[in-house]
Amino acid sequence: MADMCEGRVVVVTGAGRGIGREYALMLAGEGAKVVVNDVGGSRDGTGHDGGPAHDVVAEIAEFGGQAVANGDDISSWDGAGSVVKQAIDTYGGLDAIINNAGILRDRMLVNMTEEEWDAVIKVHLKGTFGVSRFAAAYWRERSKSGETNDARIINTTSPSGIYGNAGQTNYGAAKAGIASFSIIAAMELERYGVMVNAIAPTALTRLTEDLGLGGADEKTKAAMDPRWIAPLATWLASSQSAGVTGRVFEASGAYLAVAESWHRGPTAPAIDDPTKVDEVVRKLLADARPNSDMFGNDKKS
Ligand SMILES: NC(=O)c1ccc[n+]([C@@H]2O[C@H](COP(=O)([O-])OP(=O)(O)OC[C@H]3O[C@@H](n4cnc5c(N)ncnc54)[C@H](O)[C@@H]3O)[C@@H](O)[C@H]2O)c1
């Protein structure tokens, strides 16, 4: 056991499996008191099983760490409030939340159903909003009553959200929304001592198992281990990350990076005549960098 997060109370949503499980284990190993939230659903968000959250709590207890299980559905308003309340009731406070829970319902736009759209937006975007909202209200109340916060919100976006990936208009829109949400929440909450950042991870978990990496060599698989994301999340949850807010990071076993946000590119004076737009916009596009590829790199022409 080390002490980088000694005594800090951290909620990790979706911490029963995959990346969130690694966050919970590393945070507890660094001395944090962790609320291990997981509804224990299937990859597409259906079903419920308390097992995964309890298993992670048991693993943490084995090495002498502190954690409690929470089985709430964070995509519901009540569930979001309840997980924040459990942290405060159990450990007497809250220092960080990591909004990590996620599901997938991939489909090409032309075939996507209303339910596939709503389910993904609800878990990712509304779930991130709900837990953040209840935690932020708690930190604002503390701040108003003269207490000091050293608090963190760490959200989970995706390369699909910030760079794009076909078949994921629902998921990519939710994840792009979470990146923007993080930047805006950072602006609002800094006055209360709350730093807000987001991580776009890449790892081999059940969400990505159909990428065809099952047959990859051991070196590739090791680079895709979800544990690679945990050091950044642990640092962001710790006091060491003070002053870092409103940023989107990328992490995997291959790299650690800062994703730079939208910037205004080539610009022309305003045009009042639609017949003049074609020439001007084509010149602007010729001067502009193309959108990146799905890995965040300049597209090869
Ligand atoms: N694996 C990757 O390469 C990758 C890439 C980009 C983004 N992400 C994001 O990272 C996060 C973690 O994904 P993972 O790959 O570890 O997936 P995972 O399926 O292994 O873990 C996600 C966990 O979230 C839980 N969960 C789902 N809905 C929930 C809800 N409503 N309430 C509480 N818990 C819920 C699930 O039960 C599951 O245990 C997700 O937000 C995902 O979108 C993952």
Side-chain angles (χ1 to χ4, degrees), residues 10-13 23 27 96-101 154-156 233-234 237:
V10 185
V11 168
V12 185
T13 72
Y23 290 169
L27 284 160
I97 56 168
I98 305 186
N99 289 307
N100 163 80
I154 300 151
N155 294 324
T156 308
T234 302

Side-chain angles (χ1 to χ4, degrees), residues 124-135:
H124 291 277
L125 199 49
K126 186 183 169 196
T128 295
F129 159 63
V131 182
S132 301
R133 158 71 175 71
F134 285 103

Side-chain angles (χ1 to χ4, degrees), residues 19 23 43-45 99-109 112-126 128 155-180 199-203 205-211 251 294:
I19 297 167
Y23 290 169
R43 186 175 184 258
D44 69 1
N99 289 307
N100 163 80
I103 63 166
L104 279 182
R105 303 250 181 127
D106 291 359
R107 189 83 62 196
M108 285 298 178
L109 173 61
M112 189 172 290
T113 65
E114 182 183 9
E115 203 204 347
E116 286 164 344
W117 175 269
D118 285 348
V120 167
I121 298 293
K122 186 165 184 262
V123 171
H124 291 277
L125 199 49
K126 186 183 169 196
T128 295
N155 294 324
T156 308
T157 180
S158 166
S160 176
I162 55 179
Y163 304 131
N165 189 23
Q168 295 191 316
T169 50
N170 53 358
Y171 179 77
K175 290 305 201 185
I178 288 170
S180 293
I199 300 175
T202 303
T205 68
R206 68 176 185 165
L207 282 194
T208 46
E209 66 198 0
D210 58 357
L211 291 181
M294 65 175 285

Side-chain angles (χ1 to χ4, degrees), residues 159-226:
S160 176
I162 55 179
Y163 304 131
N165 189 23
Q168 295 191 316
T169 50
N170 53 358
Y171 179 77
K175 290 305 201 185
I178 288 170
S180 293
F181 174 96
S182 306
I183 291 167
I184 295 166
M187 294 169 181
E188 295 185 11
L189 300 179
E190 192 164 11
R191 77 193 71 164
Y192 305 124
V194 185
M195 313 284 121
V196 187
N197 296 285
I199 300 175
T202 303
L204 189 53
T205 68
R206 68 176 185 165
L207 282 194
T208 46
E209 66 198 0
D210 58 357
L211 291 181
L213 284 163
D217 59 50
E218 287 312 309
K219 196 170 162 227
T220 308
K221 278 189 183 164
M224 293 289 281
D225 191 307

Side-chain angles (χ1 to χ4, degrees), residues 50-119:
H54 285 285
D55 290 349
V56 173
V57 169
E59 274 187 80
I60 290 171
E62 258 174 47
F63 64 74
Q66 294 187 69
V68 285
N70 172 286
D72 285 313
D73 171 1
I74 54 78
S75 73
S76 77
W77 192 242
D78 288 349
S82 165
V83 69
V84 169
K85 185 172 182 307
Q86 184 174 341
I88 298 162
D89 290 350
T90 308
Y91 294 122
L94 179 64
D95 298 294
I97 56 168
I98 305 186
N99 289 307
N100 163 80
I103 63 166
L104 279 182
R105 303 250 181 127
D106 291 359
R107 189 83 62 196
M108 285 298 178
L109 173 61
V110 291
N111 291 321
M112 189 172 290
T113 65
E114 182 183 9
E115 203 204 347
E116 286 164 344
W117 175 269
D118 285 348

